[in-house]
Amino acid sequence: MIEFKDVVMSYDSDTVALNGINLVINDGEFVFIVGRSGAGKTTLTKLLMREERISSGKLTVDGFKLDKMPKRKVPYLRRSLGVVFQDFRLFPNMTVYENVAFAMRVVGEKNSVIKKRVPYFLNLVELTDKADRFPGELSGGEQQRVAFARAIANNPKIVIADEPTGNVDRNMSLELMDLLVRINKLGKTVIVVTHDMELVEKFKKRTLTIDDGVIVSDKNGGVSIED
Amino acid sequence: MRIRNIPHLIGQGFKSFWRNGAMTTAAILVLICCMLVLGSFYVIIDNLDNFIEKQSEEIKTINAYVYASDDKEELANKKAALDALCEKENSNIAKYVHITKAEALENMKNQEGMEDVLSKFNEDNNPLPETFCISFKDFDTVQQLMRELEEIFGADKIKSELGMYEAVNNLSSTITLVGFWLMAILLVIAILIIMNTVKLTVFARRKDIAVMRYIGATSAFVTSPFIVEGIIVGLVAAIISTGLQYYLYTGVLADIISGYAAIDIVPATEYIAIVPVAFLALGLFAGIIASAVSVKKHLDV
Ligand SMILES: Nc1ncnc2c1ncn2[C@@H]1O[C@H](COP(=O)(O)OP(=O)(O)OP(=O)(O)O)[C@@H](O)[C@H]1O
Ligand SMILES: [Mg+2]
């Protein structure tokens, strides 16, 4: 479960990115987060993985109380999250294969398991033939798919995807969304940040709209948002 | 960190050693430079010190003369008194050598050009005194010994170069002291340079460190490959420096030092216990401490 209680987050005195967030996301939910650019969507995901710290309020993620958690627990929080970053954050000096394998190594996965599972995930995102390429040699969409494979490689409880379909064509984005829905059906919580209202309408899931650091609507099923 | 990860982490250290070729080469070169400067400075100071010490050993003596050549009894008495002084508890006499007047004349005659001058002297008209060449142990209490010897031999029969000895000794301590502080300053500079180099090599990979942290890597998991890599860099630098220092010393420095003064060069083997060990310590410092400290800065993401 994820629970925000009166969460305020400011980068500095002028930039209050989130201003009083109250929100509960239960295990197994599928949630879209939409909103204008600069609304605070990425900031919200950064709080979840403790990349940024809340300024006030309370935040609980999968049993981790983030407002008073010691630093050494951060890695274990992050292992229960699979994050597809808006800016991918791949290792430029590792091949596609190594990028995914490395994520599994980080959590101490056995070599034999890694050898078996990496090809499976690469196949899932249709990158089997690019396994030996470096991220710099891939298109934006391909890099995004590597990030996607890496995020789900460790079977995380919560999958967070920040604009996972931002750089791929319609077909691929539908496929990635299908994949997220399948992952959700396995009992994982899925949070998708997106600008793509078409997708939101098509998949009819719970949708949070953030504007200027506050949640302005929280609806089940598709919504239409006037810009 | 799991045991299972350890082979991977060590492998990762080796891998990034090769992968970051330019960086590791730069770090090794910087380390070698620091080591050679420190090492060369050390052996020069040590040679100088060694030379001065040897000089001062040679004048760490008091000569007592007995002219009463015919009076065998007096000579025996004085020798017995000297022996008693040697036997005394806490005696300041390290040892003494008795040079008979016959030996003294022989020695003199053996000096170049002296044979002719001294040819008219022989056993019967030998003008030289019996000499007791007394080495003392401790300079601080040597005045006490002087008084005791004066009592035995008479004040005018005692000769020493204590003033000279003191001057040479002071010079030696000054060189040791100055050398020590210069070494300390050099070491601090070397450590700063090494820290900075390691910091740079780590800085170049701060993004990788951040991403590792984002996907849930513990600090130990992130840090250990850097330390492994650092140890390799430190070891390689220490080994190369030891070799280079050897050739630098035996091939270049020794010639320069002995060119300035007729100094017996300290053999390179004397330094086996200290120079490579110091290089290794510096290398491992760079590998372990400097790496860990530098990485720590980037862990907090
Ligand atoms: N590192 C930062 N330092 C200071 N201000 C920041 C930082 N990151 C984001 N902000 C500010 O915080 C606010 C929210 O940013 P955030 O990245 O959460 O927006 P977003 O909703 O993800 O936008 P987009 O749809 O463009 O990705 C913005 O005003 C942004 O300028
Ligand atoms: Mg964003």
Side-chain angles (χ1 to χ4, degrees), chain B residues 210-224:
Chain B
V211 177
M212 288 185 209
R213 294 292 274 165
Y214 291 142
I215 61 176
T218 57
S219 355
F221 186 92
V222 177
T223 312
S224 17

Side-chain angles (χ1 to χ4, degrees), chain A residues 37-38 40-43 45 86 162-163 193 195:
Chain A
S37 181
K41 308 179 296 292
T42 297
T43 304
T45 66
Q86 194 168 9
D162 198 348
E163 300 286 357
V193 175
H195 277 113

Side-chain angles (χ1 to χ4, degrees), chain A residues 49-51 71 74-76 78-79 85 89-94 98 102-103 105-110 150, chain B residues 1-2 4-5 8 12 15 19-20 205 207-219 221 300-301:
Chain A
M49 60 175 288
R50 184 56 122 78
E51 187 183 336
K71 270 189 210 162
V74 172
Y76 304 99
R78 289 178 181 171
R79 288 174 192 188
F85 300 97
R89 298 186 183 175
L90 300 173
F91 296 104
N93 296 324
M94 293 186 196
E98 287 168 341
F102 190 83
R105 229 164 240 138
V106 160
V107 304
E109 198 59 88
K110 281 199 209 99
R150 183 180 69 181
Chain B
M1 190 168 63
R2 304 207 184 162
R4 183 191 294 158
N5 270 331
H8 165 74
Q12 205 66 29
K15 233 191 223 166
R19 208 173 260 168
N20 302 284
R205 281 182 276 162
K207 281 190 183 149
D208 283 357
I209 295 176
V211 177
M212 288 185 209
R213 294 292 274 165
Y214 291 142
I215 61 176
T218 57
S219 355
F221 186 92
D300 232 354
V301 289

